Structures are given as structure tokens and as C-alpha cells.
Amino acid sequence: MTLAALTLDQLLKADPATLYQKALRLRHGDGVVQDLHLARRLFGFIALHGHAASRYQLGLMNSKGEGGEKNLVRALMWFRLAAGRDEPRAAAQIQRLSSELTPAQVRQAQMLVLEGDRVRHLFSTVRRDQDWEAMASLGCHVFDGIGADPDPELAMGWLAIAAANDDPDAQLRLAMAHAYGMGVERDPQEAQRLFRLAASQEHIEAHYEWARYLEQQIQDRVSRIHAVELYDIAARQGHLQAQLRLGQLFKAGEAGTDATLPAEESQLAIIPKKANYKPSHSPNLVRALQYFTMAAERGHVESQFELGQMYARALGTPQRFDEAAKWYESAAQRGHARAQFNLAFMVAHGQGVEESLLKSYEWYRISFLSGYALAKQAMEVAAKKLSPGEVEMANWRADSFMHRLSQEHAS
């Protein structure tokens, strides 16, 4: 018996205790040829039942890299899920790993424990009912190894069944698998068929992911036109990344409207990058401004930076340094390194904000600490114009800002 040879029905009906003993023999080569990969897959399936001993075995195999990748965070997740009266050995392993991992990794493992409880609930639902939504979600969790051990082959089987029963999440996930060769061979025709099925059910993410696929993988004019149309459908339904991408395409002149028609009556189309418009009055740039604004007002950081660029450079709008500074600061406060750099420049020259060399230096330092290498020279130039005490105070404020930001990201 191999896991691949068992049908879904057989797996669901199999006795977990019997499968566990077989997996244990496979792991240790006890009376059979040792097969760590198959042992780990079997333990992974049995663990979906909430089987404590299998969870413990998966903790050991993940911590040692047996039969798959070594992953100490997932190992800690499995030991925590196993811990209790039925598996007292897990407590010592939890203590050991908790001391070896960073606090952030320990928190990550705890989040995965919550996902593990969700996976067990999904599995119980699938066993009890023909719930295609639960099966699709279970397949995604198992494919990604979120709250479970990753098993793309088993996950693809569940996703295929759910997709055949018109679950749009499963259709989208299978479409992406076939589009990019994740767990299966690449199959562009099957990918587009599944994208179309999911999109026909008004699945917003399907419109966006199909557009991305067409834009990145299918290099022809018709496909790029279709991609823009799909992005627009998702954007109108509030998809932030679609709004950002459309803004970028319109800004670059790679998408636009027929200028002879009112925007609401025209069809989206690809146009040449060199258009016969003054930059600030181009309908493309006006549309870009609209899409960036949609996402920026809902807190999308990259769109806030792009919107700052539009106002600062008078693209699709009269030049407004006050608006540019406002959006740069919104993105800067969330850790956007280029927005921090641009804000520092505006503060240094009093563009839209009060001029302050000290505050400018502080933002340059924050930008550099955020990973923007070009900020280093500007920071050093500004430092020469400040007193040592001012530099020390600004450094302290910048470092405090970065500490607060890291704490927010960690939480």
C-alpha cells in the first residue's frame, strides 16, 4: 500500500491507528524498506484526524529534516498540537525548540497552531459532509503547509474534486497551479479554462490573478488588452492590488482609453507609450491618479507613494506639494523607504511642509535604515550641517521609529 495508490474515499475510511503503525515501520525500516518521504506523507494525513502520536512524529521529522525540508517552526507547531495527555513526550520538545527559536519564530509557530486547529475542523467537515468549500480550503492549507505538512499531490486531488463541483476557490488555485507549474506540469490551456470558470462566478481574486497571468506570461496584444479589462473588473470591486497595477499601467502609457470618447463610454485598450498629450493633461495620467487614489485612501502603502509621486511631479493633476507630502508621509509612517527619502527631500526644501534640516536628516536616516541605499549620502550631507547634539537626538528618534515599526510588523 502506498499513499498515492489510495483513493480519497479509501483514505477517509482508513483506520488511523493502522496507517500510523505502517508509517512508523516505514520511518524506522522495521520489516520494510525505509521510506522517510512516504512515512512523512502518511503521518501528515493521519495528523489531519488530530492523531497526537502522528503529530509528534511529524514534529520530530520536521526538526530533523527527515523525508522533506527541515522546518523548526513547523516542528514546534506539531509538538504544540500533539501536547497533552495522549502525547506527554511533546512537552520536552516544546521547551527545547522554544529556547532555540527567536521570539518571532515562536509567535509564528503559535499562529500555525491556530491554523492546525482550523485544518482539523476542515478535515472533519470534509469527512462528514460533501462540503466543497471546506475541501477547497483544506486543499489549499495542505498544499501550502499552513497548519499541516505540505503535500501537493494530496492537495491537488482534493482541489480537483472541489473544482469539478464548481467551487471557485479550488478552480482558481488549480488555474494558478497549471499556469505556473506548481505541483503539476504547466498547462496554459487548462489554466485559462479554470481561470475563466472561477471568474464567471464573480470571484474577484480570479479576475486579478488571471490578469496577472495574461500580462506576465502571454506576450501578445489581445491578451494584454484582456488583462487590463480584467484588472478593471477587480479594481471596480475594490481589489487594492488591481487598482495599484492599473494606476501603474496608465501612468506608463501601457493602458488607456480612446481619447475621442467619454471615459465611461470607451473601451480599455493598449496604446503606444508615446502619446500626443502634455504629461499633466494626459487622460491616461488622470486615470492613473484615480486608481492610485482609490487604493491610497484605503491605506494601500505603495499606492500612497505613487499618489505622492503624481502630485509632486504634476502628473494628471496640477502640482501640489502639500498633497504630495501628505501621501509620502502616510507611506513613510508605514515603512516605505522611498517615500521616506522623498519626504526627507521635501522637508529639507520646505516643499509643502515646514522646512527643517533636522527633521530632514531624521527621515533620511529612517530611509537608509529601511534599506534605501541612496539615502546614505543625503543623510551624511545633512549631518555636516547639524551639531553633534542635534545628530545624536535625530539618530535616537530615527532608531526609536524603526523599533516601533518592527514591533508593529511583528505583532
Side-chain angles (χ1 to χ4, degrees), residues 92-145:
Q93 298 291 345
I94 292 171
Q95 185 176 5
R96 175 181 66 85
L97 284 178
S98 295
S99 64
E100 293 179 9
L101 297 174
T102 66
Q105 288 174 317
V106 172
R107 288 193 296 270
Q108 183 184 356
Q110 186 57 45
M111 294 299 295
L112 287 176
V113 169
L114 299 178
E115 291 294 341
D117 290 335
R118 172 170 164 73
V119 166
R120 181 180 180 182
H121 173 74
L122 288 169
F123 184 70
S124 298
T125 302
V126 168
R127 291 182 67 203
R128 184 178 64 250
D129 308 312
Q130 285 190 329
D131 187 323
W132 312 123
E133 183 179 350
M135 185 175 287
S137 184
L138 177 62
C140 290
H141 275 75
V142 173
F143 191 99
D144 295 330

Side-chain angles (χ1 to χ4, degrees), residues 201-247:
Q201 299 191 60
E202 300 302 319
H203 195 293
I204 300 175
E205 199 66 30
H207 287 102
Y208 172 73
E209 292 295 347
W210 190 5
R212 284 187 68 214
Y213 172 68
L214 290 172
E215 184 189 358
Q216 296 172 6
Q217 305 293 322
I218 312 297
Q219 300 298 318
D220 63 72
R221 185 174 183 275
V222 173
S223 294
R224 288 181 66 80
I225 292 173
H226 192 196
V228 173
E229 292 171 341
L230 289 166
Y231 279 135
D232 188 62
I233 292 170
R236 291 175 186 275
Q237 296 180 73
H239 196 288
L240 295 175
Q241 284 297 126
Q243 291 166 351
L244 170 66
R245 188 61 190 140
L246 273 178

Side-chain angles (χ1 to χ4, degrees), residues 64-100:
K64 298 176 181 180
E66 294 181 353
E69 69 167 348
K70 181 177 180 178
N71 189 319
L72 296 183
V73 172
R74 189 177 292 121
L76 180 56
M77 174 201 78
W78 282 123
F79 287 133
R80 284 186 166 177
L81 285 168
R85 183 177 58 188
D86 294 335
E87 193 45 80
R89 296 174 295 176
Q93 298 291 345
I94 292 171
Q95 185 176 5
R96 175 181 66 85
L97 284 178
S98 295
S99 64
E100 293 179 9

Side-chain angles (χ1 to χ4, degrees), residues 335-353:
H336 196 290
R338 288 182 63 195
Q340 292 161 350
F341 179 86
N342 288 9
L343 180 61
F345 181 88
M346 297 189 78
V347 171
H349 296 85
Q351 294 178 332
V353 291

Side-chain angles (χ1 to χ4, degrees), residues 244 300-306 309 327-343 363 366-368 370-372 401-402 405 409:
L244 170 66
H300 191 265
V301 175
E302 188 64 29
S303 296
Q304 291 174 340
F305 169 73
E306 290 281 8
Q309 295 278 74
W327 290 112
Y328 281 147
E329 183 166 8
S330 293
Q333 292 288 350
R334 303 271 297 283
H336 196 290
R338 288 182 63 195
Q340 292 161 350
F341 179 86
N342 288 9
L343 180 61
W363 277 117
I366 290 170
S367 177
F368 176 68
S370 295
Y372 195 55
F401 176 93
M402 295 301 296
L405 200 62
H409 289 168

